[in-house]
Amino acid sequence: MGVFSLRLFAALTSSVLLWASFFRGGGWLVWTALVPLFWALATEERRGRGALLGAAFGTLFSALEFRGLLELKVALGLPIALLALLGIVAWGTIWGGVLGALGTRGTALGLAGLWAGMEVLRAVGPLGVAVGTVPVAFVGLPFLRAAAIVGPWGLSLAASLTNAFLAAALRRKGKKAVLLVPLPPLFLAALLSFAGTPAAEGELRVALVQPGLGLPERLGIPTEELLKRYGELLALIPIGVDLVVLPEDAVPGVLSTVPELRDLFRAQAARLGAAILVGGWSVQDGDYYNTAFLFRPTGEWGPVHRKVRLLPFGEYVPLRPLWERLGLRGVFERFLPREVTAGKEFVPAGTFGIMICSETMFSGISRELVHKGARVLLALTNDSWFGQSRLLWEHFACGALRAVETGRAFLQAAITGVTGAFGPDGLPLGVLAGKGSGTLVLRAPLHSHVTPYVWLGDWPVVALCLLFLVLPPHWARISTVAASLRP
């Protein structure tokens, strides 16, 4: 095997290891998953070949990570599902190629800063996606609680530094770099003593409802059957709860045009003496909004959140006129004939910080809600599009990050799963087993404190990434740094 072939094998190995780290129980792999890739890039002399190594890594990782998109074939057909997967794989090829080109002959600090910085960029902007980024692998690990101080990208930087130091130790065949390997996890461990959650200031007794409607059934279910399903589920909820949460798209139509369902929710809210939060659709001036409605025990009801951060190619098509001019009008009219309009801002409904579906992937949204007074985070989602693929778990795992970052309990109601909750420490408060219908009643602690991350945001970590990238090579060399640690 030639030298470049060995480097290519190393890059592809990192793809598989990183993908495996997102399985429940596999998070510890994140401390070593990137070692082969970093070794390959640091030892590669030619930038073009570095770009090929990175592109190969990004292609295979994206294909593995997002293969759950093939589940779209149930509703949209296999060609559309393949097109969706190929599109996100192409995006992975591009960012991987940029990573490889910039990381060629990279120093340990430079590679770590580059990786974490690119993860930040991958999760911002209209095309941002946070599923498949290193912080999600920390869910279930004790280090997760450090996100209350350093945020998600601080976890990413710590993991990438450990991987880079290990790769440097392998490359130089010396002991100096090994001295630095344990420093990032030790730093996170030291932060845990400062990342505690104060005592709760009260609690909210919440019932989460999962209707268990698979995609084909949900698209064709008659209103009478839907009324029966929700009536039976709501009848299981005991008197004494404070809030009932139903998922996104619980009403597959404009709620104002389905009086039977409105009457059901109003009657059940009055019976329980509790508010009911329901996901549905609203229309205003010809624009359609993905909306969360709140039904109060007094009989009042109305929208309390319209989704702001829309899912590209799921709720709208970026540059749609351009794609249509290229001959794809028929494709888009088939799977997205009417685009969703974005809401204007994130405002808590009293103490409820409400998010819809993909909005839970982005830490800035929950930070904004907490800044504005949210004491608990509530998520409504419809992940039934992705069958029972691992994407459901990863999306739910994002809630553990949001909980720790903000010091708030996070509760999610889903159509077919995952329905459950995390406490402010990132530990599960409860999870509804399976994809069928059911209810989950739990107690969510209420908090009003502000974590360091909510105050500081991502700027300290972004600044560190930039510093590592611009350090002169002789300062960023691992041997220089390690030598400074010797007595």
Side-chain angles (χ1 to χ4, degrees), residues 41-347:
L41 293 178
T43 57
E44 178 56 61
E45 295 291 329
R46 297 168 60 179
R47 199 168 297 278
R49 287 191 171 188
L52 288 175
L53 293 173
F57 164 83
T59 300
L60 180 57
F61 172 71
S62 297
L64 292 170
E65 174 65 12
F66 295 102
R67 73 192 194 286
L69 291 174
L70 291 177
E71 297 294 331
L72 294 172
K73 67 180 183 292
V74 174
L76 305 178
L78 184 59
I80 298 297
L82 284 172
L83 183 63
L85 180 60
L86 290 174
I88 202 161
V89 168
W91 177 235
T93 303
I94 293 170
W95 71 254
V98 173
L99 172 75
L102 296 178
T104 302
R105 300 187 304 274
T107 62
L109 293 182
L111 284 168
L114 177 62
W115 175 269
M118 289 203 68
E119 286 217 309
V120 174
L121 292 176
R122 283 171 55 199
V124 300
L127 299 179
V129 176
V131 168
T133 57
V134 162
V136 181
F138 275 81
V139 176
L141 300 184
F143 301 103
L144 175 67
R145 289 193 295 115
I149 299 174
V150 299
W153 311 120
L155 302 179
S156 178
L157 183 58
S160 58
L161 280 168
T162 299
N163 280 270
F165 293 155
L166 278 169
L170 291 174
R171 188 171 74 250
R172 296 176 182 278
K173 300 180 181 179
K175 298 181 179 179
K176 294 179 180 179
V178 177
L179 299 174
L180 296 177
V181 171
L183 291 186
L186 286 175
F187 174 72
L188 293 184
L191 291 181
L192 297 183
S193 60
F194 302 98
T197 303
E201 301 160 354
E203 66 177 16
L204 191 73
R205 194 176 185 204
V206 183
L208 303 176
V209 177
Q210 179 175 295
L213 294 167
L215 191 56
E217 183 183 5
R218 187 178 62 84
L219 293 176
I221 188 169
T223 300
E224 296 77 14
E225 180 61 30
L226 196 61
L227 280 167
K228 180 182 177 183
R229 177 75 62 97
Y230 285 138
E232 292 173 348
L233 288 170
L234 292 170
L236 297 174
I237 298 172
I239 301 294
V241 298
D242 304 302
L243 177 69
V244 179
V245 183
L246 280 78
E248 173 195 21
D249 207 11
V251 181
V254 178
L255 190 56
S256 61
T257 65
V258 192
E260 301 94 335
L261 283 168
R262 291 202 317 272
D263 293 341
L264 171 67
F265 296 135
R266 292 174 70 179
Q268 289 293 330
R271 178 185 72 84
L272 294 168
I276 298 180
L277 187 65
V278 181
W281 297 89
S282 62
V283 61
Q284 182 177 349
D285 299 328
D287 293 327
Y288 284 78
Y289 297 90
N290 191 347
T291 306
F293 298 89
L294 191 66
F295 290 81
R296 303 181 187 277
T298 57
E300 299 173 336
W301 73 282
V304 288
H305 175 59
R306 287 173 170 165
K307 190 177 182 185
V308 178
R309 186 71 178 265
L310 300 180
L311 188 66
F313 299 102
E315 293 171 308
Y316 78 102
V317 179
L319 305 175
R320 183 164 186 155
L322 174 61
W323 298 114
E324 291 182 347
R325 283 199 293 271
L326 293 175
L328 295 177
R329 177 187 296 272
V331 173
F332 293 131
E333 286 183 347
R334 178 181 174 186
F335 80 89
L336 195 63
R338 181 186 294 114
E339 295 192 351
V340 181
T341 302
K344 296 187 181 299
E345 60 180 333
F346 293 96
V347 179

Side-chain angles (χ1 to χ4, degrees), residues 236-486:
L236 297 174
I237 298 172
I239 301 294
V241 298
D242 304 302
L243 177 69
V244 179
V245 183
L246 280 78
E248 173 195 21
D249 207 11
V251 181
V254 178
L255 190 56
S256 61
T257 65
V258 192
E260 301 94 335
L261 283 168
R262 291 202 317 272
D263 293 341
L264 171 67
F265 296 135
R266 292 174 70 179
Q268 289 293 330
R271 178 185 72 84
L272 294 168
I276 298 180
L277 187 65
V278 181
W281 297 89
S282 62
V283 61
Q284 182 177 349
D285 299 328
D287 293 327
Y288 284 78
Y289 297 90
N290 191 347
T291 306
F293 298 89
L294 191 66
F295 290 81
R296 303 181 187 277
T298 57
E300 299 173 336
W301 73 282
V304 288
H305 175 59
R306 287 173 170 165
K307 190 177 182 185
V308 178
R309 186 71 178 265
L310 300 180
L311 188 66
F313 299 102
E315 293 171 308
Y316 78 102
V317 179
L319 305 175
R320 183 164 186 155
L322 174 61
W323 298 114
E324 291 182 347
R325 283 199 293 271
L326 293 175
L328 295 177
R329 177 187 296 272
V331 173
F332 293 131
E333 286 183 347
R334 178 181 174 186
F335 80 89
L336 195 63
R338 181 186 294 114
E339 295 192 351
V340 181
T341 302
K344 296 187 181 299
E345 60 180 333
F346 293 96
V347 179
T351 59
F352 305 152
I354 301 169
M355 294 172 283
I356 297 177
C357 198
S358 56
E359 291 178 333
T360 63
M361 291 195 297
F362 308 105
S363 58
I365 293 173
S366 53
R367 284 180 57 235
E368 182 177 351
L369 288 168
V370 168
H371 268 304
K372 293 179 177 179
R375 300 177 67 195
V376 63
L377 300 176
L378 305 172
L380 289 65
T381 189
N382 172 19
D383 287 340
S384 63
W385 295 93
F386 307 114
Q388 289 300 301
S389 69
R390 198 185 64 178
L391 288 177
L392 276 67
W393 159 251
E394 286 192 54
H395 186 201
F396 178 56
C398 288
L401 284 162
R402 306 294 85 85
V404 171
E405 293 158 6
T406 60
R408 302 293 187 269
F410 172 94
L411 299 90
Q412 175 173 291
I415 291 282
T416 56
V418 178
T419 294
F422 293 101
D425 55 3
L427 297 177
L429 293 176
V431 177
L432 189 64
K435 63 179 182 178
S437 62
T439 61
L440 177 66
V441 179
L442 45 80
R443 298 177 184 273
L446 296 175
H447 293 277
S448 60
H449 71 288
V450 177
T451 64
Y453 175 66
V454 169
W455 277 114
L456 297 173
D458 298 315
W459 291 111
V461 173
V462 171
L464 268 180
C465 293
L466 292 174
L467 176 63
F468 291 163
L469 286 170
V470 302
L471 277 175
H474 67 282
W475 281 103
R477 251 184 228 112
I478 203 69
S479 57
T480 303
V481 179
S484 69
L485 297 177
R486 291 181 296 183

